[in-house]
Amino acid sequence: MTGNSYSVFNAMTDIIASPGKALDEVKEHTAWMWWPLLISLVSAAAVFGYYYSWVDFPWLIEWTIQQLPSDNRAEAAEGIRKFMKQDQTMWITIVGVVVVSMVIYTIQGLYFHLANKMTSGSDIRFGQWFSFSVWVGFVGIFGSIAALIVILTADSNQLPSTSLQPLSINALLVHASPSSDWHTWANSLSLLTFWSVFLSALGFGRWTGASTVKSWVIAALPWVLIFGIWAAIKLV
C-alpha cells in the first residue's frame, strides 16, 4: 500500500502513468470503481450526444443509405429514412453505450474471476474483478477525447459516425471503406484494446501472483479468439 493519502484520484492518474501502483491500490478499494465508471460512461455519452446534435443529420441519413449494398439499397432506403430520427438515434446510441459497456464489464469480471479460480485460486471476489475490468477499461476515455477532437477539427458537420474512432486499426492502418467487409472488424480493434490487454495482464499477475506468460495468455485470449474467429469467418 502507498499510504492513507492515496485516493481514487491518484489511482485515475496512475492507471495511466504508473499502472502497477494503481492496480495494487484498487484491489482493496472496490468502491473506487464508481468514479472511473461514471466518468467513462458520461464522457462517451456526452460525445455522442454532442455529435448527433451537431452533425448534418439529413446528410447522415443519405450517407448511411449509400453504404448499403447496391442490390438492396433502394428497398431499404425508405425504411432507414423513417427509422432514423435525430433525437431517437442519439438516445438509442447513448443507451446502447451504457448497456453494452456494463455487459462487457460484467463478462470480463466473470472471465477473470473464473480464470483466477482455475489457475491460482486466490481469494478475490467477483466484485473486485468487476472493479478490475472497469479500471483497465478506463483508458477508453482517450477514445472519447479523440472522437471529440475529430468533431471539433472537422471541416464541416457532414462527418460520418465511423470517423469518430481515429485510434482504431482501420483509421491507422487498414483504411477499409464503410462498405468493406473488413470495416467493422478493423474499426472495432484499436490501440486502446492493446492498452487494456496490457493493463489486464499486468493487473492479473499482480493480483494473483501468476507468471507473466500465464497473465498475458489469460488477458489476451478472449480478444485473440474474438477477432481471430471473426477474421476467419470473413476469409471463408
Side-chain angles (χ1 to χ4, degrees):
M1 293 294 182
T2 55
N4 293 332
S5 62
Y6 198 88
S7 70
V8 62
F9 302 107
N10 296 122
M12 284 192 290
T13 301
D14 282 342
I15 198 66
I16 298 164
S18 183
K21 181 191 297 184
L23 290 166
D24 288 346
E25 289 290 335
V26 302
K27 181 181 180 182
E28 305 303 328
H29 296 89
T30 304
W32 282 2
M33 72 173 180
W34 291 107
W35 280 97
L37 178 61
L38 290 174
I39 290 172
S40 297
L41 295 179
V42 169
S43 61
V47 169
F48 279 111
Y50 177 66
Y51 169 75
Y52 282 111
S53 64
W54 166 86
V55 71
D56 182 342
F57 203 76
W59 172 88
L60 182 62
I61 293 174
E62 299 306 316
W63 179 87
T64 302
I65 293 171
Q66 290 303 311
Q67 307 315 307
L68 298 174
S70 57
D71 55 349
N72 65 350
R73 185 180 301 160
E75 180 181 349
E78 184 177 353
I80 290 175
R81 292 190 182 101
K82 288 181 178 179
F83 177 78
M84 283 188 69
K85 306 297 181 184
Q86 192 161 9
D87 288 345
Q88 177 178 300
T89 302
M90 178 184 71
W91 284 110
I92 288 174
T93 303
I94 290 174
V95 171
V97 166
V98 174
V99 172
V100 170
S101 296
M102 295 302 293
V103 169
I104 289 174
Y105 291 143
T106 301
I107 292 174
Q108 287 181 329
L110 181 60
Y111 170 75
F112 285 118
H113 180 59
L114 294 176
N116 171 56
K117 291 293 185 183
M118 291 187 293
T119 59
S120 72
S122 300
D123 187 21
I124 306 174
R125 304 182 310 277
F126 167 74
Q128 289 174 285
W129 287 116
F130 181 87
S131 171
F132 177 84
S133 298
V134 170
W135 278 101
V136 300
F138 185 55
V139 293
I141 194 172
F142 287 101
S144 297
I145 294 171
L148 181 60
I149 292 173
V150 168
I151 296 170
L152 296 178
T153 57
D155 293 332
S156 74
N157 63 346
Q158 294 185 343
L159 181 75
S161 55
T162 53
S163 297
L164 300 183
Q165 295 173 299
L167 300 179
S168 71
I169 297 303
N170 188 59
L172 297 172
L173 296 173
V174 179
H175 307 301
S177 66
S179 59
S180 168
D181 289 341
W182 290 96
H183 180 267
T184 303
W185 184 92
N187 236 29
S188 301
L189 185 63
S190 79
L191 294 181
L192 301 177
T193 307
F194 296 103
W195 194 353
S196 67
V197 169
F198 162 73
L199 291 176
S200 296
L202 176 66
F204 190 86
R206 295 177 79 96
W207 280 30
T208 67
S211 68
T212 300
V213 172
K214 182 185 290 186
S215 298
W216 271 99
V217 169
I218 290 171
L221 183 60
W223 299 103
V224 171
L225 289 177
I226 290 169
F227 283 93
I229 294 172
W230 190 356
I233 291 172
K234 290 184 174 296
L235 290 171
V236 172

